Amino acid sequence: MEKFLTDLFAGQQYDEKNFFLIAGPCVVESEELIMEVAEKVSATCKNLGIPYIFKSSYRKANRTSGNSFTGLGDDMAMKMLQRTGKKFSLPVVTDIHSPEEAGKAAAYVDVLQVPAFLCRQTDLLVAAANTGKIVNVKKGQFVSGEAMKFAVDKIRKAGNNKIMLTERGTTFGYQDLVVDYRNIPAMQAHGVPVVMDVTHALQQPNQTSGVTGGNPQLIGTIAKAAIAAGAEGLFIETHPNPSKALSDGANMLQLDLLEELLKQLVKLRKAVI
């Protein structure tokens, strides 16, 4: 595991041979929700020896419909994320969408995440790098794993070597994604840890209803294949009741199903390393 990750997980007890997990609800809907998810997932990860980063977006800037929920307000949601991380002694990751947001979000969280649609935005990548925080860049649905070297180079040239890349599927037609697992070793070749975004890879975007669809029944399949392919981390959005989630409910994992899946993945990880 990279030193910046061992430093990030310094407050946790875990199996060093395990994958790490990034998990939480898609967006901050309420403080009660993110506290509930963080408490349950952190307890499960502690029991299974999995290092854990809590994830939720303080704002969702990329929504299909203009009528979709985008957030409670940036300052309020960031403070909720910070309190959640402190309460459960967890590192926290959230998305940023513009260079101006990088420094602001860095005051509240430990990892800045660049959304897939923005992975080529030079000003955003450099602004994230300049905060000194870990930067997780999601591979664009339109970009190859090999081409993500340019995103890595931009961050490194800004003086930051704390970089992760995340695979989240590739556009297949207008309303579907496919996962090309060749992208995991291709992005590892850039000298960075690679995460598999299991739930976003199962989205069915651009639905005429204005709400993104998904195939959550395949979450286990995608996650197991990623572990077998050597991914260092997994990204799984989870919610107590996905059908009532205010964002990405169609592809999130129901919270009470996460523990059993993680048990299976830990066994698989031990078998393949």
Side-chain angles (χ1 to χ4, degrees), residues 116-117 138-141 166-170 177-179 187 195-198 200-203 248:
F117 283 121
K138 288 194 171 183
K139 182 188 75 64
Q141 303 92 323
T166 294
E167 164 64 29
R168 53 94 73 236
T170 302
L177 300 168
V178 294
V179 178
M187 292 193 290
V195 179
M196 179 70 227
D197 183 343
V198 176
H200 284 104
L202 290 168
Q203 285 182 331
D248 282 0

mmCIF file of all heavy atoms in Angstrom, residues 116-117 138-141 166-170 177-179 187 195-198 200-203 248:
data_model
loop_
_atom_site.group_PDB
_atom_site.id
_atom_site.type_symbol
_atom_site.label_atom_id
_atom_site.label_comp_id
_atom_site.label_asym_id
_atom_site.label_seq_id
_atom_site.Cartn_x
_atom_site.Cartn_y
_atom_site.Cartn_z
ATOM 1 N N ALA A 116 -15.801 11.823 -13.039
ATOM 2 C CA ALA A 116 -15.366 11.267 -14.318
ATOM 3 C C ALA A 116 -15.527 12.248 -15.473
ATOM 4 O O ALA A 116 -14.635 12.363 -16.324
ATOM 5 C CB ALA A 116 -16.143 9.978 -14.604
ATOM 6 N N PHE A 117 -16.643 12.962 -15.526
ATOM 7 C CA PHE A 117 -16.867 13.892 -16.628
ATOM 8 C C PHE A 117 -15.839 15.027 -16.634
ATOM 9 O O PHE A 117 -15.675 15.713 -17.639
ATOM 10 C CB PHE A 117 -18.273 14.489 -16.553
ATOM 11 C CG PHE A 117 -19.352 13.560 -17.028
ATOM 12 C CD1 PHE A 117 -20.385 13.186 -16.191
ATOM 13 C CD2 PHE A 117 -19.346 13.052 -18.319
ATOM 14 C CE1 PHE A 117 -21.390 12.322 -16.622
ATOM 15 C CE2 PHE A 117 -20.335 12.190 -18.761
ATOM 16 C CZ PHE A 117 -21.357 11.825 -17.907
ATOM 17 N N LYS A 138 -11.606 10.008 -11.124
ATOM 18 C CA LYS A 138 -12.373 8.961 -11.780
ATOM 19 C C LYS A 138 -12.107 9.002 -13.285
ATOM 20 O O LYS A 138 -12.123 10.078 -13.897
ATOM 21 C CB LYS A 138 -13.862 9.148 -11.509
ATOM 22 C CG LYS A 138 -14.258 8.809 -10.085
ATOM 23 C CD LYS A 138 -15.755 8.677 -9.978
ATOM 24 C CE LYS A 138 -16.170 8.134 -8.647
ATOM 25 N NZ LYS A 138 -17.631 7.930 -8.572
ATOM 26 N N LYS A 139 -11.857 7.846 -13.846
ATOM 27 C CA LYS A 139 -11.630 7.750 -15.290
ATOM 28 C C LYS A 139 -12.918 8.100 -16.026
ATOM 29 O O LYS A 139 -13.977 7.544 -15.744
ATOM 30 C CB LYS A 139 -11.190 6.334 -15.669
ATOM 31 C CG LYS A 139 -10.889 6.166 -17.165
ATOM 32 C CD LYS A 139 -10.646 4.719 -17.538
ATOM 33 C CE LYS A 139 -11.927 3.923 -17.586
ATOM 34 N NZ LYS A 139 -12.890 4.366 -18.628
ATOM 35 N N GLY A 140 -12.818 9.016 -16.951
ATOM 36 C CA GLY A 140 -13.986 9.369 -17.747
ATOM 37 C C GLY A 140 -14.542 8.187 -18.503
ATOM 38 O O GLY A 140 -13.790 7.293 -18.926
ATOM 39 N N GLN A 141 -15.852 8.179 -18.685
ATOM 40 C CA GLN A 141 -16.501 7.097 -19.428
ATOM 41 C C GLN A 141 -16.062 7.079 -20.890
ATOM 42 O O GLN A 141 -16.362 6.136 -21.606
ATOM 43 C CB GLN A 141 -18.026 7.276 -19.364
ATOM 44 C CG GLN A 141 -18.595 7.318 -17.955
ATOM 45 C CD GLN A 141 -18.687 8.725 -17.409
ATOM 46 O OE1 GLN A 141 -17.828 9.568 -17.651
ATOM 47 N NE2 GLN A 141 -19.749 8.995 -16.658
ATOM 48 N N THR A 166 -9.727 5.883 -10.460
ATOM 49 C CA THR A 166 -10.891 5.027 -10.271
ATOM 50 C C THR A 166 -11.537 4.674 -11.598
ATOM 51 O O THR A 166 -11.871 5.561 -12.399
ATOM 52 C CB THR A 166 -11.928 5.715 -9.356
ATOM 53 O OG1 THR A 166 -11.352 5.848 -8.048
ATOM 54 C CG2 THR A 166 -13.205 4.905 -9.246
ATOM 55 N N GLU A 167 -11.706 3.386 -11.819
ATOM 56 C CA GLU A 167 -12.431 2.870 -12.988
ATOM 57 C C GLU A 167 -13.926 2.892 -12.687
ATOM 58 O O GLU A 167 -14.350 2.485 -11.605
ATOM 59 C CB GLU A 167 -11.958 1.445 -13.282
ATOM 60 C CG GLU A 167 -12.858 0.634 -14.201
ATOM 61 C CD GLU A 167 -12.962 1.214 -15.606
ATOM 62 O OE1 GLU A 167 -12.001 1.872 -16.060
ATOM 63 O OE2 GLU A 167 -13.999 0.987 -16.245
ATOM 64 N N ARG A 168 -14.727 3.405 -13.638
ATOM 65 C CA ARG A 168 -16.171 3.458 -13.396
ATOM 66 C C ARG A 168 -17.002 3.121 -14.633
ATOM 67 O O ARG A 168 -18.130 3.556 -14.791
ATOM 68 C CB ARG A 168 -16.568 4.824 -12.821
ATOM 69 C CG ARG A 168 -16.115 6.031 -13.614
ATOM 70 C CD ARG A 168 -17.157 6.524 -14.574
ATOM 71 N NE ARG A 168 -18.240 7.191 -13.878
ATOM 72 C CZ ARG A 168 -19.516 6.855 -13.972
ATOM 73 N NH1 ARG A 168 -19.876 5.868 -14.778
ATOM 74 N NH2 ARG A 168 -20.463 7.509 -13.336
ATOM 75 N N GLY A 169 -16.377 2.334 -15.526
ATOM 76 C CA GLY A 169 -17.104 1.909 -16.707
ATOM 77 C C GLY A 169 -16.864 2.808 -17.901
ATOM 78 O O GLY A 169 -16.371 3.927 -17.787
ATOM 79 N N THR A 170 -17.222 2.293 -19.062
ATOM 80 C CA THR A 170 -17.032 2.989 -20.336
ATOM 81 C C THR A 170 -18.358 3.044 -21.079
ATOM 82 O O THR A 170 -19.116 2.069 -21.104
ATOM 83 C CB THR A 170 -15.985 2.242 -21.188
ATOM 84 O OG1 THR A 170 -14.753 2.171 -20.456
ATOM 85 C CG2 THR A 170 -15.750 2.945 -22.515
ATOM 86 N N LEU A 177 -23.261 1.262 -19.785
ATOM 87 C CA LEU A 177 -21.826 1.254 -19.554
ATOM 88 C C LEU A 177 -21.342 -0.192 -19.528
ATOM 89 O O LEU A 177 -22.111 -1.100 -19.202
ATOM 90 C CB LEU A 177 -21.484 1.909 -18.203
ATOM 91 C CG LEU A 177 -21.892 3.366 -17.998
ATOM 92 C CD1 LEU A 177 -21.734 3.740 -16.525
ATOM 93 C CD2 LEU A 177 -21.043 4.280 -18.866
ATOM 94 N N VAL A 178 -20.094 -0.389 -19.894
ATOM 95 C CA VAL A 178 -19.462 -1.693 -19.720
ATOM 96 C C VAL A 178 -18.147 -1.479 -18.980
ATOM 97 O O VAL A 178 -17.552 -0.399 -19.038
ATOM 98 C CB VAL A 178 -19.186 -2.410 -21.064
ATOM 99 C CG1 VAL A 178 -20.476 -2.772 -21.755
ATOM 100 C CG2 VAL A 178 -18.300 -1.557 -21.962
ATOM 101 N N VAL A 179 -17.695 -2.514 -18.259
ATOM 102 C CA VAL A 179 -16.422 -2.434 -17.553
ATOM 103 C C VAL A 179 -15.376 -3.230 -18.319
ATOM 104 O O VAL A 179 -15.553 -4.426 -18.560
ATOM 105 C CB VAL A 179 -16.543 -2.974 -16.115
ATOM 106 C CG1 VAL A 179 -15.179 -2.919 -15.423
ATOM 107 C CG2 VAL A 179 -17.570 -2.179 -15.324
ATOM 108 N N MET A 187 -4.075 1.381 -15.671
ATOM 109 C CA MET A 187 -3.929 2.557 -14.811
ATOM 110 C C MET A 187 -2.919 2.316 -13.700
ATOM 111 O O MET A 187 -2.220 3.245 -13.271
ATOM 112 C CB MET A 187 -5.284 2.980 -14.257
ATOM 113 C CG MET A 187 -6.213 3.525 -15.337
ATOM 114 S SD MET A 187 -7.694 4.394 -14.733
ATOM 115 C CE MET A 187 -8.632 3.037 -14.048
ATOM 116 N N VAL A 195 -8.855 2.034 -7.988
ATOM 117 C CA VAL A 195 -10.102 1.705 -7.310
ATOM 118 C C VAL A 195 -11.137 1.320 -8.361
ATOM 119 O O VAL A 195 -11.157 1.898 -9.454
ATOM 120 C CB VAL A 195 -10.607 2.927 -6.506
ATOM 121 C CG1 VAL A 195 -11.923 2.618 -5.803
ATOM 122 C CG2 VAL A 195 -9.553 3.394 -5.513
ATOM 123 N N MET A 196 -11.989 0.360 -8.031
ATOM 124 C CA MET A 196 -13.121 0.029 -8.901
ATOM 125 C C MET A 196 -14.380 0.634 -8.321
ATOM 126 O O MET A 196 -14.784 0.315 -7.204
ATOM 127 C CB MET A 196 -13.289 -1.485 -8.996
ATOM 128 C CG MET A 196 -14.462 -1.931 -9.875
ATOM 129 S SD MET A 196 -14.176 -1.622 -11.613
ATOM 130 C CE MET A 196 -15.728 -0.859 -12.082
ATOM 131 N N ASP A 197 -14.999 1.545 -9.058
ATOM 132 C CA ASP A 197 -16.280 2.116 -8.655
ATOM 133 C C ASP A 197 -17.372 1.152 -9.105
ATOM 134 O O ASP A 197 -17.838 1.194 -10.252
ATOM 135 C CB ASP A 197 -16.468 3.500 -9.280
ATOM 136 C CG ASP A 197 -17.751 4.184 -8.842
ATOM 137 O OD1 ASP A 197 -18.655 3.486 -8.326
ATOM 138 O OD2 ASP A 197 -17.867 5.408 -9.024
ATOM 139 N N VAL A 198 -17.755 0.297 -8.197
ATOM 140 C CA VAL A 198 -18.661 -0.800 -8.519
ATOM 141 C C VAL A 198 -20.055 -0.295 -8.879
ATOM 142 O O VAL A 198 -20.661 -0.757 -9.862
ATOM 143 C CB VAL A 198 -18.737 -1.768 -7.314
ATOM 144 C CG1 VAL A 198 -19.744 -2.876 -7.587
ATOM 145 C CG2 VAL A 198 -17.363 -2.339 -7.001
ATOM 146 N N HIS A 200 -21.282 2.931 -9.693
ATOM 147 C CA HIS A 200 -21.467 3.819 -10.846
ATOM 148 C C HIS A 200 -21.234 3.084 -12.166
ATOM 149 O O HIS A 200 -21.763 3.475 -13.202
ATOM 150 C CB HIS A 200 -20.551 5.035 -10.751
ATOM 151 C CG HIS A 200 -21.017 6.052 -9.756
ATOM 152 N ND1 HIS A 200 -20.430 6.213 -8.527
ATOM 153 C CD2 HIS A 200 -22.040 6.925 -9.806
ATOM 154 C CE1 HIS A 200 -21.060 7.163 -7.858
ATOM 155 N NE2 HIS A 200 -22.039 7.609 -8.609
ATOM 156 N N ALA A 201 -20.433 2.026 -12.126
ATOM 157 C CA ALA A 201 -20.211 1.239 -13.340
ATOM 158 C C ALA A 201 -21.470 0.515 -13.788
ATOM 159 O O ALA A 201 -21.539 0.030 -14.920
ATOM 160 C CB ALA A 201 -19.090 0.225 -13.104
ATOM 161 N N LEU A 202 -22.458 0.459 -12.903
ATOM 162 C CA LEU A 202 -23.719 -0.221 -13.228
ATOM 163 C C LEU A 202 -24.845 0.756 -13.532
ATOM 164 O O LEU A 202 -26.009 0.370 -13.584
ATOM 165 C CB LEU A 202 -24.113 -1.142 -12.061
ATOM 166 C CG LEU A 202 -23.195 -2.355 -11.913
ATOM 167 C CD1 LEU A 202 -23.441 -3.060 -10.589
ATOM 168 C CD2 LEU A 202 -23.389 -3.325 -13.077
ATOM 169 N N GLN A 203 -24.496 2.000 -13.746
ATOM 170 C CA GLN A 203 -25.512 2.982 -14.138
ATOM 171 C C GLN A 203 -26.015 2.719 -15.556
ATOM 172 O O GLN A 203 -25.309 2.173 -16.395
ATOM 173 C CB GLN A 203 -24.943 4.405 -14.085
ATOM 174 C CG GLN A 203 -24.776 4.966 -12.692
ATOM 175 C CD GLN A 203 -24.251 6.389 -12.732
ATOM 176 O OE1 GLN A 203 -23.532 6.782 -13.649
ATOM 177 N NE2 GLN A 203 -24.615 7.171 -11.737
ATOM 178 N N ASP A 248 -28.908 8.708 -7.388
ATOM 179 C CA ASP A 248 -28.304 7.415 -7.755
ATOM 180 C C ASP A 248 -28.889 6.217 -7.014
ATOM 181 O O ASP A 248 -28.214 5.201 -6.834
ATOM 182 C CB ASP A 248 -26.785 7.458 -7.542
ATOM 183 C CG ASP A 248 -26.075 8.189 -8.665
ATOM 184 O OD1 ASP A 248 -26.748 8.660 -9.592
ATOM 185 O OD2 ASP A 248 -24.838 8.310 -8.605
#
